[in-house]
Amino acid sequence: MSNAETSPIHAKVVVIGSGPAGYTAAIYAARAMLQPILISGFDAGGQLMITTDVENYPGFADPIQGPWLMEQMRAQAEHVGARLVSDHVTQVELGQRPFKITGDSGQVYTADSLIIATGAKAQWLGETSEEKFKGFGVSACATCDGFFFRGKKVAVVGGGNSAVEEALYLSHIAEKVTLIHRRDSLRSERILQERLFARPNIEIRWDSAVDEILGSEAPLSVEALRIKNVKTGATETLPLDGVFIAIGHKPATELFAGQIELKSNGYIKTAPDSTATNIEGVFAAGDVADDKYRQAVTAAGLGCMAALEAERWLAAKHG
């Protein structure tokens, strides 16, 4: 932080976050001549920066790299006139007008309207072997990566709705799905459990936790999963090709806690069919508010909605 006080930078629209939602919001706001500022944060590009092959983003016949797609979105936002700032937001004050945003650099930004697109991150087990094989057989998104495991054997780790939904999704693609759960009963909704138990190619390992993910070095690929029974301590090695971690996602809402209405699971609550939050002039787009789909294309769509709603709100309030 500099000793000299820098004067605040004002914008009609400030976008916090730089995944598909943030970049799309900036593109639409810039094209509406609102001269938005996008504050990208330390993790510029969001979750797609750790995604290798992207096959489900429309417009590309061949697989593309997640980081490349984010670079293109960034360049597009700059090209149409958005101002991109490589700062990390440390404080947001929503109780005043204009809204006040403070960066790690010490720079203060003020905004007539704010678009929150800070995203969410998959929660991981924290195992060394898990980190090693991320993107090489270890994933946290079945709808993103399930396609690569057609006719193969996979495991899903978890016991809530996310885990059961991932297992059900994968059961239509993979030859066999093994659900690994550290308890003796699932936490998911009853109807999901019934569907799970009815699937002939899903097997459940109760009272079990991941001990180590095993695989080859060159090329990096998962070959087996060693699990440990939490009651008996016995270990078992399952030969398989992929491991999906489904123990939940954590939205990046720490900056806004106590200032904005959140859902019970920590995601920002928005009005139905809208990105509007409970604070006028504040909109939330992408995975920070979307606990249902969590896809790059839906995040981009929500970023578009947020920019259009911010534009309309500004026109109504400020002319």
Side-chain angles (χ1 to χ4, degrees):
M1 187 171 177
S2 62
N3 293 324
E5 279 295 317
T6 51
S7 55
I9 299 171
H10 182 75
K12 290 178 183 174
V13 181
V14 167
V15 181
I16 305 176
S18 56
Y23 284 139
T24 307
I27 289 163
Y28 271 78
R31 293 185 76 252
M33 310 305 287
L34 295 174
Q35 299 174 299
I37 291 173
L38 182 147
I39 307 172
S40 62
F42 291 145
D43 297 322
Q47 293 184 85
L48 276 186
M49 296 303 284
I50 56 166
T51 308
T52 48
D53 288 347
V54 177
E55 286 195 328
N56 55 7
Y57 199 87
F60 303 96
D62 296 318
I64 55 172
Q65 299 295 297
W68 177 84
L69 181 59
M70 290 298 90
E71 284 166 20
Q72 295 298 304
M73 287 193 191
R74 180 186 177 90
Q76 186 178 3
E78 286 186 307
H79 178 72
V80 294
R83 178 177 176 184
L84 274 51
V85 178
S86 296
D87 204 348
H88 179 73
V89 175
T90 56
Q91 188 180 15
V92 175
E93 294 168 61
L94 303 178
Q96 62 178 69
R97 305 278 170 166
F99 304 120
K100 184 180 175 186
I101 301 121
T102 305
D104 188 59
S105 64
Q107 179 64 58
V108 171
Y109 309 86
T110 58
D112 294 326
S113 65
L114 181 67
I115 295 174
I116 300 167
T118 47
K121 285 187 177 176
Q123 292 182 280
W124 298 93
L125 299 170
E127 301 275 336
T128 305
S129 59
E130 171 194 62
E131 186 64 37
K132 177 180 177 180
F133 290 107
K134 267 185 199 175
F136 299 95
V138 172
S139 170
C141 180
T143 44
C144 309
D145 300 325
F147 181 77
F148 301 112
F149 297 92
R150 284 168 296 173
K152 297 184 177 181
K153 294 182 175 71
V154 298
V156 175
V157 181
N161 281 351
S162 294
V164 174
E165 285 170 351
E166 299 264 280
L168 286 167
Y169 178 86
L170 289 164
S171 72
H172 297 287
I173 299 168
E175 178 194 331
K176 184 182 179 184
V177 180
T178 305
L179 184 68
I180 314 293
H181 186 41
R182 58 168 50 251
R183 298 184 177 84
D184 57 9
S185 62
L186 298 170
R187 304 188 311 276
S188 63
E189 293 168 18
R190 180 65 56 189
I191 190 165
L192 289 174
Q193 292 188 40
E194 288 170 6
R195 285 181 198 155
L196 184 86
F197 299 144
R199 294 294 303 169
N201 64 336
I202 297 179
E203 188 179 339
I204 304 175
R205 287 287 199 279
W206 302 107
D207 302 316
S208 298
V210 171
D211 193 47
E212 190 178 4
I213 298 163
L214 309 166
S216 64
E217 292 289 334
L220 272 177
S221 62
V222 170
E223 293 178 339
L225 176 66
R226 188 166 66 234
I227 59 173
K228 186 175 185 177
N229 188 293
V230 295
K231 290 184 175 174
T232 67
T235 60
E236 178 186 5
T237 301
L238 309 172
L240 43 74
D241 306 286
V243 181
F244 289 84
I245 311 299
I247 56 174
H249 282 73
K250 190 175 188 298
T253 53
E254 299 87 353
L255 284 168
F256 316 103
Q259 298 192 76
I260 204 165
E261 190 176 354
L262 304 178
K263 299 179 192 175
S264 58
N265 59 5
Y267 287 76
I268 294 177
K269 186 175 183 179
T270 53
D273 303 315
S274 171
T275 62
T277 68
N278 67 312
I279 299 176
E280 262 200 65
V282 178
F283 305 88
D287 287 13
V288 74
D290 173 19
D291 55 354
K292 188 174 182 181
Y293 300 107
R294 293 195 298 265
Q295 299 299 302
V297 67
T298 48
L302 287 162
C304 162
M305 288 167 60
L308 293 174
E309 288 186 291
E311 180 192 0
R312 288 170 192 158
W313 182 81
L314 286 165
K317 286 285 175 186
H318 300 273

